[in-house]
Amino acid sequence: MKTNAFLSTRCLCAAMTGFLMLAAVSCGQKDNGTGLVSVKYPQLPQGEDLMLSELVGEPEFIVLDSDTAVAYTPFAMVNVSDTYISIFSIASRTPLKLFDRSTGKYLRTYGGIGRGPGEFLQISSVQIDEAGGKIWMMTYPDINKLHVYDIAMGKMEDVPLAYSTDDGSWLNYSFRVDGRDRNITVAVKPENNGCPALAWCQDYEGNVLWEIPKTYSFPEDNRAMMDTDRNVQGMLDVSYRSTNTMQDTVWLYGGGEAHPLLTVSFGQTEQSEAAGYADDNYIYSTTVLPGHIVMSVRKQGKSVMKEGVRHVSTEPLPGVIMDRRTGDVHLGGVVNDLMDGEGVGIGDFVDGYAVCQYDAASFMEAGRTALESGNLSDAARARISEILSALSEEDNDVLMVAPLK
């Protein structure tokens, strides 16, 4: 089985009320990929799955450095740029580790876990900005500023956000950095948190370049958290996840405008505290790709407390695929026809790449399957064969990285 920390942590269902004042609702209406499409999950037809090979270019395979114990990161969250691969973990609370993309060699660790100067307790989001030579991090408990590290020297500075919240809540922001124009686009959860804007663009000094005023707020007990994958060029994508069962909207922000893209109604609108752990809740997670929106869906089962930890069983259901060019929506998923024919997790699409992560033992199995039946070029087959000839189960993870078309 493929190791996929994002798939296990990104379970989505978020509340949205009052947003219809911002845009007209259309169902299946073509609107250059930025119009809102609203559908009901039980009424969606079954359609064809998307093949990963349709969405990406030529894949490359990278064996991460195994020479030092610091290279290992359990439950890894991966970000990719032209030259680098970064890895951190929410589950085990690790600092950021940087690898050379071409060789997989471990380069440096950025930040530290703690409460001292320049330290943090947890990383929530990372962007590698090669144009500016920086690594940007959103960390906890530093909710109203970003940590910025010089890639070459490792020196850290703080960049303040233009607006802040008054509730001190965690994971309130999503961001996207443009290193060439030296600006940051930020979106904030629409809650009664004292922040006047829904989204804004600022320079590195905190001066606001444009902003979108907040015109609505989530209801209480929404349990919502934000996800941003940065797969759409020049735009900040935002989707919400929580354990509630209310309908959700996927957004794009850019140029001073907010574009709601997709709302999927599951027929439940509970907002109470208990609704988050009720049987038969829908849990879903969404990502925006250049030409599609893809949503994974699960149904929540029994919830029990064991030694102070809540354990929730889930059942996978058909996912949702929307063609952003036509507005058509149907049930389906993304299949990794390049490798083993398994489903591709929503969290495998980030920073304009599909990034599939395998531990060494899993890659041995998936790699052999790919050589037999994968939709691969001769060069990719040769690279897999080269890796398999030298790989042992004690080695570090292997990544398949492919650019989104």
Side-chain angles (χ1 to χ4, degrees):
M1 295 293 292
K2 182 182 63 171
T3 303
N4 188 347
F6 268 119
L7 190 57
S8 63
T9 58
R10 288 184 58 182
C11 55
L12 167 62
C13 184
M16 183 66 66
T17 58
F19 67 87
L20 295 182
M21 294 183 293
L22 296 179
V25 176
S26 63
C27 185
Q29 178 181 345
K30 184 176 180 181
D31 193 11
N32 299 320
T34 58
L36 174 62
V37 175
S38 181
V39 298
K40 295 181 179 180
Y41 182 79
Q43 298 178 4
L44 289 175
Q46 182 65 50
E48 294 185 357
D49 292 333
L50 285 173
M51 297 296 109
L52 185 60
S53 60
E54 301 172 10
L55 304 176
V56 302
E58 179 71 7
E60 58 186 291
F61 298 89
I62 305 154
V63 182
L64 297 181
D65 191 354
S66 300
D67 292 339
T68 171
V70 77
Y72 292 90
T73 304
F75 304 103
M77 315 286 265
V78 181
N79 293 83
V80 177
S81 70
D82 290 343
T83 306
Y84 303 106
I85 295 169
S86 71
I87 294 180
F88 68 96
S89 172
I90 289 180
S92 60
R93 295 191 174 187
T94 61
L96 186 100
K97 301 174 180 63
L98 194 69
F99 297 81
D100 181 88
R101 177 173 162 180
S102 63
T103 65
K105 180 178 175 57
Y106 167 76
L107 299 176
R108 182 192 289 265
T109 294
Y110 297 82
I113 304 300
R115 296 183 180 274
E119 295 180 331
F120 44 79
L121 298 182
Q122 195 166 324
I123 302 172
S124 61
S125 183
V126 167
Q127 182 181 347
I128 305 173
D129 167 31
E130 282 202 40
K134 308 288 186 181
I135 295 175
W136 294 74
M137 294 186 199
M138 189 174 88
T139 59
Y140 173 75
D142 307 301
I143 62 171
N144 296 323
K145 62 183 178 181
L146 298 172
H147 284 320
V148 187
Y149 292 85
D150 181 89
I151 293 177
M153 305 301 295
K155 182 180 179 181
M156 189 271 289
E157 62 179 324
D158 289 334
V159 171
L161 297 179
Y163 294 121
S164 62
T165 62
D166 58 17
D167 59 2
S169 57
W170 155 233
L171 291 183
N172 260 8
Y173 298 100
S174 285
F175 74 94
R176 180 186 185 116
V177 174
D178 184 334
R180 290 184 173 84
D181 289 340
R182 294 180 56 82
N183 61 54
I184 313 163
T185 302
V186 184
V188 179
K189 274 198 304 182
E191 296 179 321
N192 293 322
N193 53 19
C195 183
L198 179 68
W200 69 90
C201 183
Q202 65 172 74
D203 60 23
Y204 292 177
E205 288 71 43
N207 300 305
V208 176
L209 306 177
W210 57 256
E211 66 181 85
I212 301 171
K214 186 188 298 182
T215 57
Y216 69 93
S217 293
F218 280 164
E220 294 183 4
D221 299 329
N222 64 81
R223 297 175 179 268
M225 297 170 67
M226 303 179 72
D227 285 316
T228 289
D229 297 313
R230 296 184 293 263
N231 291 317
V232 180
Q233 184 68 32
M235 304 288 283
L236 174 66
D237 60 291
V238 171
S239 60
Y240 298 98
R241 56 186 169 96
S242 86
T243 52
N244 264 343
T245 59
M246 301 183 68
Q247 64 188 21
D248 171 62
T249 297
V250 184
W251 298 81
L252 286 179
Y253 296 100
E257 297 181 346
H259 302 282
L261 300 184
L262 174 65
T263 296
V264 180
S265 172
F266 290 86
Q268 296 172 295
T269 57
E270 290 88 344
Q271 300 177 26
S272 68
E273 181 75 14
Y277 300 109
D279 293 354
D280 297 329
N281 275 4
Y282 290 91
I283 305 170
Y284 52 99
S285 182
T286 311
T287 192
V288 185
L289 304 178
H292 296 84
I293 296 175
V294 182
M295 175 184 289
S296 68
V297 183
R298 304 181 73 87
K299 180 171 281 191
Q300 184 171 294
K302 295 294 183 182
S303 170
V304 296
M305 294 292 293
K306 294 181 179 179
E307 299 178 351
V309 178
R310 187 177 294 275
H311 298 264
V312 182
S313 62
T314 61
E315 172 193 356
L317 296 177
V320 177
I321 297 174
M322 171 180 156
D323 188 321
R324 293 183 55 209
R325 295 159 293 189
T326 65
D328 293 332
V329 187
H330 65 263
L331 299 178
V334 182
V335 175
N336 189 349
D337 61 323
L338 298 173
M339 292 291 288
D340 50 12
E342 296 288 331
V344 178
I346 297 304
D348 289 335
F349 298 103
V350 63
D351 294 325
Y353 293 93
V355 183
C356 298
Q357 182 181 1
Y358 302 85
D359 58 45
S362 297
F363 187 81
M364 291 178 182
E365 179 180 350
R368 294 187 186 102
T369 302
L371 292 178
E372 294 176 1
S373 57
N375 186 11
L376 292 166
S377 67
D378 290 343
R381 291 178 182 277
R383 175 57 177 156
I384 291 176
S385 296
E386 177 188 14
I387 292 173
L388 291 177
S389 67
L391 194 67
S392 72
E393 292 190 2
E394 290 72 35
D395 286 331
N396 204 348
D397 291 350
V398 180
L399 304 182
M400 185 187 79
V401 176
L404 292 173
K405 294 179 180 177

